[in-house]
Every structure is written in structure tokens, then in C-alpha cells.
Amino acid sequence: MQTHLLPKKVASWITSLGLAGLSILALDPLASRADSPLTSTDLAGAYSDIAAVEWARQYRIMSPLIVDFLLGDRPLGEKVAVINALGWNIDGSNNAEQFLVALARKNGKPPTHLDLGDLTPEELFIVGYLLALDDYRNLGPLSAQGGNDLWRSTPVQLLSKAAYALPENFTVQFVRSLVTGQAWFGISWCALYLEPANVLANFPAEKRNLRPQAVQNAMEYLNLYESYCLQGDI
């Protein structure tokens, strides 16, 4: 990993892994790229008791089991954990598109005929988070060749629509902040921290529908950027 490209505190955190950490990175090339809000925040670890989460973590594919879980009525925090466990791929993935194909089948429509108005706010959220991990480097839309508003929307746009419709849903607001933070990565280290920090400030613990350990795991990485707000350094 090119730690000289990262903020000093983050580079120090990675270096502190020592030889054991370096061995892990050497064994897992993908882990060596885990240096951003989307690729370094572990929300799934707090949900290891959920079978679908562990299955997604082990196989990392959008199987019928995972699709059914995401289309079902399980709590949104559990669905987020499954998506987080599916993870990311340096070469990109198409999990969001696979989910939309399944959703279109459920709605009796061709996938390309699905539009923003056909999806509930929660479904928009799921597509947005899946798409963000699918294309975490660019945060681009589902289709670069056009299509309707759904297929032209970026992850930030999809999650922003969901967040507007669900202002009291902590999970939606917190994950949106991670994706927005990803958009700030390399531009403003302070903004990357402030996005989730502001969400936490607006939601007392009793109003959070995400397990405390998931939030703690995410903030262990994100807190590394806090000092850049204090010293006026991006």
C-alpha cells in the first residue's frame, strides 16, 4: 500500500499493523486497497450471528439466498451488514444490477423499465449502497450509456433520495454519510470525518437502528481523520 498518499494518522494506523498486518495484506491483495470509508468500515462484524451475513462474507456473491434476504422484511441494519459483507472488488462488481434484476422480476417488469418511482426509499437505499461498493473508486451510475433516471443515478444521488424520504432512519443517514465521505476521499480529510460525525450528533444512541458495535467499528477508522478538522489541514 502506498501509505505516503494517505493522511499521516491513517498511514500510521496501517503501519501499526506491523509484520502480522503486512502478512495479511500480502496474502489478500484486496486488503491492501482497504484505505477509504467504504473499503475500511466494518459494519458486518457486529452481525456475525446472522447466517446470511456470514455466508456473504465467505462467498462474496449475490446468490439467490442474498437476494431473497435483501428483498425480504429483515431489519435494515441486517441488510446493511449483508451488503457490507459482500464487500468490494478492485475490478468492480455488479451486485446492484443483479439486485435490480431480481426486483424487476418481483415487480413483473423488464429491469430497464424500472424507474426511481418504482422503488421504495428502502430499495433505493439498498441499490445505492450496493452500487457504491460496486464502483467505490468512481461512484458512477448503473449505466454509463444512459437509460432512465434510475439507471443514470449515482450512489450519492440514490442514497440522498432515500435519506430525504427517511430522515429519522439512522442506518440510512449513517451509510449515506460513509458514501458521501468516500466522495470526499483525497479532497478533504476533515469533511470525510464530519459527514458521519454529524449524523452521530443528530441521533442519540436510543434512536439508532444499527448495532452499537457496527457504529464503533466504523468510527475506529473514521475518527483517524478528526484531527484534520482541528488543524485546518485537509
Side-chain angles (χ1 to χ4, degrees):
M1 178 184 295
Q2 297 179 345
T3 54
H4 65 282
L5 299 179
L6 301 174
K8 295 184 290 293
K9 288 177 72 69
V10 181
S12 175
W13 173 64
I14 293 170
T15 303
S16 70
L17 289 172
L19 293 177
L22 291 175
S23 298
I24 294 172
L25 297 180
L27 290 172
D28 185 0
L30 294 181
S32 67
R33 301 300 184 100
D35 56 7
S36 63
L38 285 179
T39 59
S40 298
T41 46
D42 173 26
L43 305 178
Y47 291 84
S48 58
D49 58 308
I50 307 297
V53 173
E54 287 304 289
W55 197 98
R57 191 200 296 271
Q58 181 175 355
Y59 296 104
R60 299 171 67 91
I61 59 174
M62 182 67 79
S63 68
L65 181 151
I66 298 301
V67 169
D68 289 345
F69 191 94
L70 295 178
L71 288 175
D73 58 0
R74 299 299 290 264
L76 192 58
E78 293 182 9
K79 294 181 180 182
V80 161
V82 165
I83 296 171
N84 187 255
L86 284 173
W88 48 278
N89 190 308
I90 192 68
D91 297 318
S93 307
N94 67 338
N95 291 330
E97 183 175 352
Q98 291 184 63
F99 175 77
L100 278 178
V101 168
L103 184 60
R105 187 181 304 117
K106 178 182 177 181
N107 292 352
K109 286 188 173 186
T112 54
H113 288 191
L114 276 182
D115 208 341
L116 290 172
D118 296 317
L119 276 66
T120 67
E122 182 174 305
E123 289 166 346
L124 285 173
F125 169 78
I126 290 171
V127 175
Y129 188 28
L130 285 168
L131 183 59
L133 286 168
D134 283 347
D135 187 25
Y136 72 94
R137 285 179 158 185
N138 304 306
L139 297 179
L142 281 158
S143 175
Q145 284 74 45
N148 60 33
D149 288 345
L150 172 61
W151 293 80
R152 291 197 304 266
S153 294
T154 66
V156 172
Q157 290 170 328
L158 291 169
L159 291 168
S160 294
K161 288 180 182 296
Y164 180 79
L166 301 169
E168 302 301 318
N169 191 306
F170 171 79
T171 296
V172 170
Q173 302 298 327
F174 189 69
V175 171
R176 181 206 57 79
S177 76
L178 298 182
V179 176
T180 305
Q182 181 77 19
W184 282 110
F185 189 71
I187 299 173
S188 171
W189 307 121
C190 174
L192 190 156
Y193 166 76
L194 285 178
E195 289 284 345
N198 286 337
V199 174
L200 292 180
N202 289 328
F203 283 86
E206 65 272 14
K207 290 189 175 181
R208 298 175 187 175
N209 57 339
L210 195 63
R211 291 184 181 178
Q213 188 62 51
V215 177
Q216 180 178 328
N217 290 347
M219 294 309 296
E220 282 181 1
Y221 170 79
L222 296 165
N223 284 338
L224 296 170
Y225 295 90
E226 181 180 11
S227 65
Y228 293 90
C229 297
L230 302 175
Q231 62 193 37
D233 181 8
I234 66 168

